[in-house]
Amino acid sequence: MPAATLHVNGLSSGYGRTVIVEDVSFSVPAGQRMAIIGRNGMGKTTLLSTLMGLTTHHAGTIAVEGAGVEKLSASRRAYAGLGYVPQTRDIFRTLTVEENLVSGLKGRAKTNLDEAYHLFPRLRERRRNLGWQLSGGEQQMLSTARALLGKPSVLLLDEPLEGLAPVICQELMAAFTELAKAGTTTILLVEQNLKTALAFAEEVLVMERGRIVWSGQSEALSSEPHLIDKFMGVAGVH
Ligand SMILES: Nc1ncnc2c1ncn2[C@@H]1O[C@H](COP(=O)(O)OP(=O)(O)OP(=O)(O)O)[C@@H](O)[C@H]1O
Ligand SMILES: [Mg+2]
């Protein structure tokens, strides 16, 4: 499956009756990189998990390459092309690294595990270890590698760099950029580090209290320090 367009229109969602994400609309063209930024608790994670079908959907549409997915279960959304690396790394703690990776293959041949081991040699070394025996950074690699093995046409990444060594962060961001440029994957990245977010993404959404309060090109935001200060506060001074 090649990279797909993502269209979100009038999306509202939350937890039970509580509404967190309110009237969110945006589009990401196929193969583009978009970042979502905003202070803690502003609804970034809720938005991504809503796209994946893991919250209470209140209103609005979500289309992957024109096909509405907002009524599908999370697993069916995965088969429709959505890949997700949640902020809470959802690896199987009692399975080995390799078993975790196999679960992400979605029917592709086991020889493809090499893609994951190539990106994260550390996972090859630890492939017989159980999920719970991994360090935080290794769990992070496993979660990301498993999502990539499913060859998602739209990849949702919730702070995928958290806990990883700087050199691995750079490699990973380069790998994500490559996937998008090759037309393999459209990427929506939630990232706290503003510099990283702006360097990676072509377009940016700023979230505040569940709403999009600014959207535009990364370059435009980079050249507006007062906006960065307004939206990110002290956290923006990276
Ligand atoms: N499972 C949940 N049940 C009820 N409320 C929740 C739940 N998860 C998050 N919330 C609330 O939703 C709001 C948005 O949280 P969310 O995790 O989406 O923010 P975020 O922008 O990802 O923050 P952070 O930068 O800290 O990861 C917060 O007020 C939070 O308390
Ligand atoms: Mg979050």
Side-chain angles (χ1 to χ4, degrees):
M1 237 187 303
T5 56
L6 175 68
H7 284 295
V8 175
N9 195 22
L11 192 64
S12 295
S13 69
Y15 304 96
R17 262 186 264 170
T18 311
V19 176
I20 302 289
V21 167
E22 280 193 84
D23 197 21
V24 162
S25 301
F26 65 93
S27 293
V28 196
Q32 285 232 355
R33 309 181 297 279
M34 183 175 269
I36 303 175
I37 60 173
R39 288 187 297 253
N40 293 125
M42 291 300 167
K44 305 180 298 294
T45 292
T46 305
L47 174 58
L48 288 204
S49 53
T50 297
L51 297 178
M52 204 59 213
L54 300 170
T55 61
T56 311
H57 175 262
H58 289 286
T61 57
I62 304 163
V64 176
E65 205 56 34
V69 301
E70 68 278 352
K71 293 199 167 59
L72 303 182
S73 65
S75 59
R76 290 186 65 197
R77 289 187 203 199
Y79 275 92
L82 287 174
Y84 182 38
V85 179
Q87 196 170 6
T88 51
R89 322 303 170 205
D90 66 340
I91 61 164
F92 297 109
R93 292 173 56 78
T94 56
L95 298 185
T96 65
V97 166
E98 187 139 310
E99 287 164 345
N100 265 280
L101 290 174
V102 166
S103 78
L105 279 168
K106 289 201 220 155
R108 296 173 69 217
K110 227 177 144 181
T111 47
N112 292 302
L113 289 183
D114 277 342
E115 293 169 12
Y117 293 141
H118 180 71
L119 187 59
F120 298 113
R122 185 84 189 135
L123 293 182
R124 189 197 296 277
E125 289 167 30
R126 310 224 65 189
R127 65 185 183 280
R128 311 236 175 276
N129 284 95
L130 298 175
W132 65 266
Q133 295 172 320
L134 301 179
S135 74
E138 289 164 350
Q139 292 182 21
Q140 175 60 351
M141 293 176 203
L142 182 55
S143 180
T144 301
R146 194 181 57 188
L148 289 177
L149 283 175
K151 288 234 173 288
S153 51
V154 177
L155 181 59
L156 312 172
L157 298 165
D158 199 346
E159 302 194 33
L161 304 180
E162 229 175 11
L164 295 182
V167 59
I168 295 179
C169 292
Q170 279 172 15
E171 280 174 24
L172 198 52
M173 292 312 281
F176 291 148
T177 303
E178 197 44 49
L179 282 175
K181 281 192 174 160
T184 308
T185 304
T186 304
I187 299 182
L188 194 53
L189 168 82
V190 170
E191 173 55 48
Q192 292 279 354
N193 186 302
L194 194 66
K195 235 187 203 168
T196 306
L198 295 180
F200 170 76
E202 295 147 305
E203 300 267 333
V204 184
L205 304 176
V206 182
M207 283 191 81
E208 238 175 48
R209 296 173 203 286
R211 293 177 178 271
I212 294 174
V213 292
W214 191 90
S215 65
Q217 296 205 317
S218 301
E219 282 167 24
L221 192 58
S222 304
S223 58
E224 301 266 14
H226 71 280
L227 280 182
I228 292 175
D229 201 43
K230 181 175 166 206
F231 296 135
M232 305 298 286
V234 188
V237 193
H238 283 299

